[in-house]
Amino acid sequence: MTIKYIFVTGGVVSSVGKGVTTAAIGRLLKERGFTVAVQKLDPYINVDPGTMSPYQHGEVYVLNDGSETDLDLGHYERFVDINLSKVSTLTTGQVYAEVIAKERRGDYLGGTIQVIPQITDEIKRRIGMVPEQAGAEIVLVEVGGTVGDIESLPFIEALRQIRSDVGRENVFYIHTTWLPHIGATNELKTKPTQHSVRELRALGISPQMIVARADRTIPPDLCEKIAKFCDVDPRGVVPMPTVDVMYEIPLLLEKLGVAGYLMDMLGLEERKQPDWSAWERIVKSARKEKPAVRVALVGKYVELHDAYMSVKEALAHAGLALGVQVEIDWVHAAELEKGRGWEEVRAADGVIVPGGFDSRGIEGKIAAAQYARENRVPYFGLCLGMQVMAIEFARNVLGYSEANSTEFDPASPYPVIDLMPDQRGISEKGATMRLGVYPCQLQPGSIAAQAYGGEVVEERHRHRFEFNNAAREAFNEHGMRFSGVSPDNRLVEIAELAEHPYMLGTQFHPEFLSRPTRPHPLFVAFVKAAAERAGAKVEANVSVESNG
Ligand code: GLN
């Protein structure tokens, strides 16, 4: 089949769910038997978001191959249930780095290098790599930011050119906009959408579909108005009010006939009947009154929930599978250090310490781990959270009061977490961590092995520091076992307390492999332990399998 391209741009404002919409459309097509890949074009100059603060950008999502990417890639993987690779992520920084390297090699034979054609050609080359490398028939390409941004111009121009390169019957343009609500007159306004479409047209692209987002119900006459004023077929106007259950979006788009219109326009025939039963079950379960399980998430960027997007989703997936409502209390680790925020921790049925870097709040996290261990509250440590659990154990069980990670105290006399030998001497920050999937061998009979129900699993990593093997024996003797290690036994991957309802930490990030229909086994085990503490009745109904 000829490769089909669906391009998604945004207008009016950003952060209105363009990524989720793109992901959901991917699911509509996958449900009809097509192989789908999704790519995100990010117009910023950074080579990847790996060096950006989560305050700027939200979570850094990690792929199997170790690419550090935008959190939208997480939505794509969760909704379409695919594993993406580095071709699915592209930034202005990467494009320029490549073009400048070629120029330095002399590849352009004396030519002047310009945005058109060299930069746009490089963007097109990288878009063209997706179907080939991912083996996909349909490629969805989402452009970050909003139309009108200076940085996105070369990307929009590349998308425009692709229409003539591959034939207009093989491309489809979607524009996602926002309808503001005016309180005084209690109405939604389409004018910004009209302006934004006009701006896109000025760049040579006429959208064939407009996904109109709003915080309330969008009346049909408004859709007609958008169709008329923006010159889009009425079938191409998709009203998308904000919903409380994100996983309902594919079902809503299905009801609105989005897939049918897309396929008509791209000349595609449905290969199989979509089966939405699993998604309907998820949405039904999400809407149902369920016993609440309180989880205190102790982190550094807790004001910005996007910084923990995958953790939040993985907890939700586990809750849905178990028939409980996971309520997250966002606790600032630095506040705990000042004695504030402990009510949330004390009220919690489980404590989770997610990944993180640098020393701010670290003592608060250690104190939260101590509280969880001593009070037998289920604890789940993700990457840094596992390191925190080890530091706490060394200090308060083994009695090394100055135990620490050399990340926070390079002079610690008991460096229970230390730099990996191959990380010493690295000074560059970008893409130099231990990144991507590595195998982990599970210890038979351990809590981890029981949860996974297997022997070897593969999980995604993003860290520089490791458990210090010199401390392994002392830990073992005092009840902390290393139930997951690298197959050569050199690296600790999972630590767990034998005598505790659930105190387990992973050096990897299990949250990146949790999917709504396939919750991650360790999240399920954690939420189950927390539910038991809460006295909630668990009605597990989803079979759990690992991605290993
Ligand atoms: N800062 C720690 C390390 O580099 C943990 C990283 C993380 O939590 N992702 O090892």
Side-chain angles (χ1 to χ4, degrees):
M1 159 182 147
T2 323
I3 311 286
K4 306 287 180 181
Y5 292 91
I6 298 171
F7 298 125
V8 186
T9 52
V12 185
V13 284
S14 60
S15 310
V16 295
K18 184 154 50 84
V20 171
T21 308
T22 307
I25 291 175
R27 184 76 211 189
L28 294 181
L29 296 165
K30 184 179 175 177
E31 280 299 324
R32 288 172 163 77
F34 299 102
T35 51
V36 177
V38 196
Q39 184 186 41
K40 175 86 193 270
L41 310 179
D42 272 310
Y44 50 70
I45 319 289
N46 304 59
V47 170
D48 62 43
T51 54
M52 277 189 227
S53 157
Y55 280 130
Q56 298 272 318
H57 193 268
E59 159 185 283
V60 175
Y61 189 77
V62 182
L63 305 182
N64 273 349
D65 65 10
S67 305
E68 298 174 275
T69 75
D70 187 81
L71 56 76
D72 277 331
L73 283 270
H75 292 313
Y76 307 159
E77 289 203 338
R78 286 188 284 269
F79 276 84
V80 191
D81 200 2
I82 37 172
N83 286 323
L84 299 171
S85 75
K86 71 168 190 285
V87 290
S88 278
T89 166
L90 182 63
T91 69
T92 295
Q94 286 171 29
V95 173
Y96 273 81
E98 181 70 30
V99 169
I100 292 170
K102 280 189 192 156
E103 186 272 337
R104 292 289 84 184
R105 279 201 307 267
D107 291 3
Y108 294 112
L109 303 172
T112 306
I113 314 305
Q114 293 176 295
V115 172
I116 305 172
Q118 283 84 2
I119 294 296
T120 44
D121 279 355
E122 177 61 19
I123 295 171
K124 290 198 292 181
R125 188 181 74 82
R126 295 285 293 262
I127 295 173
M129 279 163 68
V130 179
E132 199 183 306
Q133 301 226 343
E137 303 161 307
I138 304 178
V139 184
L140 282 125
V141 181
E142 178 193 349
V143 186
T146 42
V147 167
D149 298 343
I150 287 184
E151 291 94 340
S152 63
L153 285 174
F155 290 102
I156 305 279
E157 168 61 14
L159 303 190
R160 185 195 68 78
Q161 291 179 16
I162 291 176
R163 183 182 53 209
S164 14
D165 294 352
V166 303
R168 58 179 63 231
E169 66 286 6
N170 298 317
V171 301
F172 190 88
Y173 297 101
I174 301 177
H175 193 53
T176 313
T177 72
W178 179 252
L179 309 178
H181 177 257
I182 306 298
T185 50
N186 190 25
E187 54 177 354
L188 293 169
K189 290 298 202 181
T190 66
K191 188 70 84 190
T193 296
Q194 299 173 39
H195 281 300
S196 166
V197 169
R198 190 185 303 162
E199 184 133 16
L200 191 55
R201 275 225 176 89
L203 301 172
I205 292 178
S206 290
Q208 292 145 292
M209 181 176 281
I210 293 177
V211 178
R213 291 270 299 104
D215 261 344
R216 50 197 74 210
T217 316
I218 302 159
D221 60 324
L222 227 60
C223 295
E224 284 160 27
K225 189 169 169 188
I226 293 171
K228 194 173 290 158
F229 282 70
C230 298
D231 194 26
V232 176
D233 188 295
R235 285 175 79 196
V237 180
V238 181
M240 276 300 293
T242 304
V243 286
D244 53 347
V245 180
M246 189 165 69
Y247 296 114
E248 191 179 12
I249 293 172
L251 303 178
L252 294 174
L253 293 176
E254 179 70 63
K255 263 195 222 122
L256 290 164
V258 167
Y261 184 57
L262 262 171
M263 296 207 316
D264 283 355
M265 298 298 283
L266 287 168
L268 295 172
E269 299 268 340
E270 186 170 289
R271 293 203 190 127
K272 75 174 184 62
Q273 277 278 96
D275 173 10
W276 293 108
S277 49
W279 288 76
E280 277 158 2
R281 233 183 2 254
I282 289 170
V283 174
K284 202 167 145 218
S285 161
R287 288 262 154 73
K288 212 169 89 183
E289 263 308 300
K290 298 184 288 300
V293 172
R294 305 207 75 82
V295 170
L297 186 149
V298 181
K300 195 163 82 168
Y301 303 104
V302 290
E303 311 85 345
L304 181 72
H305 299 177
D306 275 8
Y308 303 106
M309 178 68 83
S310 295
V311 177
K312 203 171 68 171
E313 290 308 305
L315 284 170
H317 302 162
L320 289 172
L322 294 167
V324 296
Q325 182 69 39
V326 180
E327 313 258 357
I328 303 178
D329 282 319
W330 303 86
V331 180
H332 210 301
E335 291 289 296
L336 293 182
E337 291 170 7
K338 297 179 198 134
R340 294 194 289 260
W342 282 99
E343 322 72 65
E344 272 97 358
V345 176
R346 278 192 284 269
D349 308 309
V351 173
I352 195 157
V353 177
F357 296 83
D358 128 334
S359 59
R360 194 160 71 94
I362 198 74
E363 293 300 324
K365 293 176 189 176
I366 294 170
Q370 179 177 8
Y371 173 86
R373 181 179 54 76
E374 290 176 347
N375 294 283
R376 302 180 61 75
V377 179
Y379 174 95
F380 194 14
L382 312 172
C383 203
L384 179 66
M386 175 268 201
Q387 300 176 352
V388 158
M389 170 178 152
I391 297 168
E392 189 281 317
F393 193 79
R395 286 187 188 175
N396 303 317
V397 178
L398 305 186
Y400 295 103
S401 59
E402 289 176 80
N404 214 327
S405 161
T406 51
E407 181 179 7
F408 315 121
D409 178 8
S412 167
Y414 199 79
V416 66
I417 306 293
D418 199 4
L419 220 45
M420 293 181 273
D422 47 2
Q423 283 286 341
R424 288 181 214 279
I426 293 181
S427 57
E428 287 233 349
K429 291 272 183 277
T432 53
M433 283 186 261
R434 182 172 184 243
L435 290 164
V437 283
Y438 287 93
C440 164
Q441 180 88 43
L442 302 170
Q443 189 186 88
S446 62
I447 294 168
Q450 279 167 20
Y452 277 109
E455 280 167 29
V456 180
V457 289
E458 295 211 313
E459 293 280 2
R460 296 183 186 174
H461 295 70
R462 180 172 186 255
H463 62 116
R464 273 181 226 289
F465 292 80
E466 289 285 351
F467 186 84
N468 187 338
N469 288 329
R472 272 205 212 181
E473 221 178 282
F475 271 61
N476 273 328
E477 279 165 14
H478 287 81
M480 190 178 289
R481 61 186 177 202
F482 302 107
S483 51
V485 290
S486 58
D488 62 5
N489 196 22
R490 278 182 59 228
L491 303 174
V492 166
E493 292 280 7
I494 307 176
E496 62 181 50
L497 267 192
E499 300 303 321
H500 192 282
Y502 191 89
M503 187 147 195
L504 184 146
T506 59
Q507 189 54 80
F508 48 82
H509 290 272
E511 67 271 24
F512 294 140
L513 291 183
S514 186
R515 305 277 161 90
T517 48
R518 287 187 296 128
H520 193 286
L522 294 181
F523 274 89
V524 173
F526 166 67
V527 172
K528 190 153 181 269
E532 272 157 23
R533 185 177 169 87
K537 205 172 125 292
V538 158
E539 34 170 287
N541 58 3
V542 173
S543 68
V544 170
E545 56 177 278
S546 83
N547 233 39

